[in-house]
Amino acid sequence: MDGHFQIILTIIIAFVITAILGPVTIPILHKIKAGQSIREEGPKAHQVKAGTPTMGGIMIILAVIITCVTIGHGLNADMGILLLSFVLCGLIGFCDDFIKVVKKRNLGLTALQKLIFQIIIAIIIAVYQAKVSVYGTSVYIPIWKNYIDLGWFYIPFIAFVLVAAVNAVNLTDGLDGLASGCTAIVALFFAIVGNATGCTSPTVFTAAIAGACIGFLLFNHYPAKVFMGDTGSLALGGALATAAVMMNIEMILPLAGGIFVVEVLSVIIQVVSFKTRGKRVFKMAPLHHHFELSGWKETKVVAVFWTITLILCVLSMLIL
């Protein structure tokens, strides 16, 4: 099957499956009262979103699994690791969502619990990649266009990549369609790179991620009928990180996913500034809320962030 045709077919199948799952999943989420709670300190315009069902990431996870098994002609080791990381990260998010939203316990999983589980997943990925990949513990440096062997530092490096990506996508998931749209663009970029470099499993996997995210936008665009919750955002962050590791392009992820990076940095800057100087740099963090409180419409913030992500992915393609 031609590579480009396979990408298009994979996207279409994942899109259709997600579109079919929406009308089935959303009523179930309503039934179990999986409504989103909105922080009182958040933008006032968001209060109308209270009660909108969350945990919709289940739709994305199911669509990707079905698509990958169908298009990937079964499971090989690479696809197995990609799906394992994706599902396990989603499971962490699901447990957190379920405790907070369904069980009505505000705390959910602790930050330490999430971190430990994420590091365990990262170790599995790192050990597998070091054993199977022809590059071993080497990482590709795009601008230098060469590889550097990290040796024993490879495992903590991969742990950092996964934990950073998972939490970055999670922080970006604050506006209707923002995280799903940005992830779809980055995942499509990864699929194109995977196809060009002969990485079959990551190509199918990331194309499925792109298709499922686009399908999810049918229900997640403004005004959203469903949110992905931590179930979706943690799964998608894990998906992008694992695909980047599989294709040995970890160092390009911060550029292609620049919006995710900026969102995280805005939170870090805000916290550090407030604790050291008693002053806030932004009106609210993450950054998308700052623009909202500056008078931008939610749809404008999302459109601008999507556009920036597209430009960064084109730039990443040129660098690679």
Side-chain angles (χ1 to χ4, degrees):
M1 186 185 296
D2 176 73
H4 293 100
F5 176 74
Q6 185 178 53
I7 290 174
I8 294 170
L9 181 61
T10 304
I11 291 173
I12 292 173
I13 291 176
F15 171 85
V16 170
I17 293 172
T18 312
I20 293 171
L21 286 172
V24 177
T25 307
I26 294 174
I28 294 174
L29 294 175
H30 274 295
K31 191 173 182 179
I32 63 174
K33 295 181 170 53
Q36 178 71 49
S37 298
I38 305 298
R39 293 184 305 166
E40 289 185 9
E41 64 270 23
K44 299 301 180 186
H46 284 215
Q47 295 303 317
V48 296
K49 300 183 182 186
T52 302
T54 186
M55 299 169 68
I58 294 171
M59 296 155 51
I60 297 174
I61 293 172
L62 289 175
V64 170
I65 293 172
I66 295 169
T67 304
C68 287
V69 172
T70 304
I71 294 293
H73 308 294
L75 294 177
N76 55 38
D78 282 356
M79 184 64 80
I81 290 293
L82 286 162
L83 289 176
L84 179 67
S85 172
F86 176 58
V87 172
L88 288 180
C89 287
L91 187 58
I92 296 171
F94 176 82
C95 291
D96 194 43
D97 283 336
F98 190 80
I99 293 170
K100 288 189 296 187
V101 180
V102 180
K103 292 295 185 181
K104 309 300 180 187
R105 298 176 194 163
N106 291 332
L107 294 177
L109 294 176
T110 66
L112 181 59
Q113 287 172 329
K114 292 179 188 176
L115 181 62
I116 291 172
F117 290 137
Q118 289 167 18
I119 290 175
I120 291 171
I121 296 168
I123 291 173
I124 294 171
I125 298 165
V127 171
Y128 171 82
Q129 188 69 357
K131 296 284 186 183
V132 174
S133 171
V134 294
Y135 302 106
T137 54
S138 295
V139 173
Y140 182 67
I141 311 298
I143 297 176
W144 187 31
K145 300 211 179 283
N146 212 332
Y147 291 85
I148 181 170
D149 191 349
L150 298 181
W152 285 103
F153 188 66
Y154 184 72
I155 291 178
F157 171 72
I158 297 303
F160 173 77
V161 170
L162 184 120
V163 172
V166 165
N167 291 285
V169 176
N170 182 239
L171 285 173
T172 306
D173 184 32
L175 300 180
D176 296 355
L178 180 57
S180 46
C182 289
T183 303
I185 295 167
V186 176
L188 178 58
F189 160 66
F190 275 13
I192 294 170
V193 172
N195 180 55
T197 55
C199 300
T200 307
S201 292
T203 299
V204 172
F205 177 73
T206 50
I209 292 290
C213 284
I214 296 169
F216 187 69
L217 279 170
L218 292 174
F219 315 100
N220 186 234
H221 70 82
Y222 182 85
K225 298 181 181 67
V226 66
F227 301 135
M228 68 171 68
D230 286 1
T231 305
S233 61
L234 268 60
L236 292 175
L240 293 180
T242 309
V245 171
M246 284 281 184
M247 293 188 285
N248 225 258
I249 55 170
E250 301 95 335
M251 300 302 289
I252 207 70
L253 180 56
L255 177 59
I259 285 296
F260 302 134
V261 175
V262 170
E263 292 275 51
V264 171
L265 288 177
S266 69
V267 173
I268 294 172
I269 292 169
Q270 187 86 322
V271 171
V272 171
S273 177
F274 188 75
K275 288 192 173 182
T276 56
R277 304 188 305 139
K279 295 181 180 179
R280 292 181 172 86
V281 176
F282 306 104
K283 293 182 178 180
M284 183 177 288
L287 190 61
H288 54 259
H289 288 321
H290 170 79
F291 288 112
E292 268 195 294
L293 294 179
S294 298
W296 287 27
K297 290 185 178 180
E298 182 172 345
T299 49
K300 179 180 178 180
V301 178
V302 172
V304 169
F305 279 34
W306 282 5
T307 304
I308 292 172
T309 300
L310 181 60
I311 293 170
L312 290 174
C313 284
V314 171
L315 182 59
S316 299
M317 187 77 72
L318 295 174
I319 291 175
L320 282 177

